[in-house]
Amino acid sequence: MTNIDNIDDKLREKGLRATAQRLMICREIDKAGHIEIESLYESLKKQIPSLSIATIYKNMHSLAEKEIITEVNVSGKKTMYELNIDPHIHLVCSECGNIEDIPFDTIKLVSNIKELSDRKISECKLTTVGICSKCLG
Amino acid sequence: MTNIDNIDDKLREKGLRATAQRLMICREIDKAGHIEIESLYESLKKQIPSLSIATIYKNMHSLAEKEIITEVNVSGKKTMYELNIDPHIHLVCSECGNIEDIPFDTIKLVSNIKELSDRKISECKLTTVGICSKCLG
DNA sequence: TTAGATGCAAATGTTTTGCATCATC
DNA sequence: GATGATGCAAAACATTTGCATCTAA
């Protein structure tokens, strides 16, 4: 669970340097909720013109490895990233395509599945398709 | 819900021609359970040397559009495909990386989420991480 | 001071496209 | 026979890599 206000410390805790680029990447992901590489690059290039897209890719890997961000994969969409925040699931809107978070206790779901299937399960990702709150009106 | 034995008819029902390539693609996906483009191509090229990878890509799109197959996205893995069979969820093995199906009533889960979140939701995909049956021994 | 991070440019990998030819219906 | 499917080659797009330079700790 990441709080964007302490992101400097969070990074150092995890053994990553708090570079300007890395901080801005985290803040931009936080601001966007879910964002893909190209959008991230376009947004940040305005602020750091020298920014290289290779730096973004490298950071996506290091941040994901340290579990500060998570890769979000949705069929038919480019890979996106989000900050690791409170447990939630995704709602992909079938009208507008946007992705919305729904607060949801995935911990409970995991124990549910464990009971039903008698397997060792440590985590889960749940993606739903439906109508987002904007389109619902 | 697709039965591989009637795949010819299934394709025609959906308005797709039952070409040799398309049939073999379906059978290979069925055989593999979950398969990525490159593996599919390598396997089938042995049987149809003239096969083009563009044909595979085109078929993945048409078959997915007709809901005969489904794209499977797992973080850190290439996009895979599976036949649409009975409701199930995925278990990505944290030991060996394999993907296993777990029979699971996603219909019930969807109505659960609807109740809890008061949203319009039509479908869901659930991916878990844990230990697969092979690695459990 | 030094290990890790960045930026650049080139290499590699993945997916799509246009079009001529072919095969299913 | 018409229309959709295939194969090819090229284009477009996405990701990774190596290395010199820079900078946070």
Side-chain angles (χ1 to χ4, degrees), chain A residues 5 25 50 121 134:
Chain A
D5 301 325
I25 286 171
S50 69
I121 291 168
K134 270 186 199 165

Side-chain angles (χ1 to χ4, degrees), chain A residues 10-33:
Chain A
K10 182 80 181 183
L11 290 170
R12 281 184 281 257
E13 256 173 48
K14 298 273 191 170
L16 296 176
R17 290 187 178 173
T19 65
Q21 289 85 341
R22 189 167 280 153
L23 289 170
M24 301 197 73
I25 286 171
C26 290
R27 291 202 194 99
E28 193 66 28
I29 298 176
D30 178 61
K31 211 172 80 184

